[in-house]
Amino acid sequence: MLAESTIQNYIRNESAVLGDDLWRNNNGVLNDRQGRPVRFGLGNDSAKINKVCKSSDLIGLTKVIITPEMVGTMVGVFTAIEVKEEGWTFNPRDARAVAQKVFIDLVLQAGGYAGFAQSVDDYRRIVKK
């Protein structure tokens, strides 16, 4: 069984092969020199927000050619990939997974590409390549 970190590396390599860009989206909180908490990561504005909506492991842009009125124009579609280890299944009682799905659904509703991926094939399916 492949570890999440290995799958994540495979997906990032595949995105580069496809000409797209994905970046690691680390999330968390650390104290600054004065002991004040500093939150980092996309959408990690507060503990309250982060509890209900967790941004994905990989964030980036998928290149798409728009047709027909904009033939030849390249646009970047916001992409969010939540990487999971092989064999993972969504559990609606898992608060973390539910919060991750909230973010995925927000991206999908806005016309972006997003989803849970356990393999390069899952990633390709999400970005429709």
Side-chain angles (χ1 to χ4, degrees), residues 46-114:
S46 70
K48 183 177 180 181
I49 290 172
N50 189 261
K51 187 175 181 178
V52 297
C53 185
K54 294 187 181 301
S55 58
S56 298
D57 295 320
L58 300 174
I59 301 296
L61 297 169
T62 300
K63 295 174 184 163
V64 177
I65 296 175
I66 303 300
T67 57
E69 63 277 346
M70 296 174 65
V71 172
T73 300
M74 187 70 67
V75 298
V77 176
F78 187 85
T79 303
I81 306 297
E82 182 59 44
V83 181
K84 297 296 184 188
E85 66 185 19
E86 286 182 327
W88 177 86
T89 56
F90 182 79
N91 179 347
R93 293 183 307 270
D94 177 350
R96 181 175 187 79
V98 170
Q100 292 166 337
K101 187 174 182 319
V102 167
F103 184 80
I104 287 168
D105 289 346
L106 287 171
V107 173
L108 291 172
Q109 289 167 9
Y113 298 145

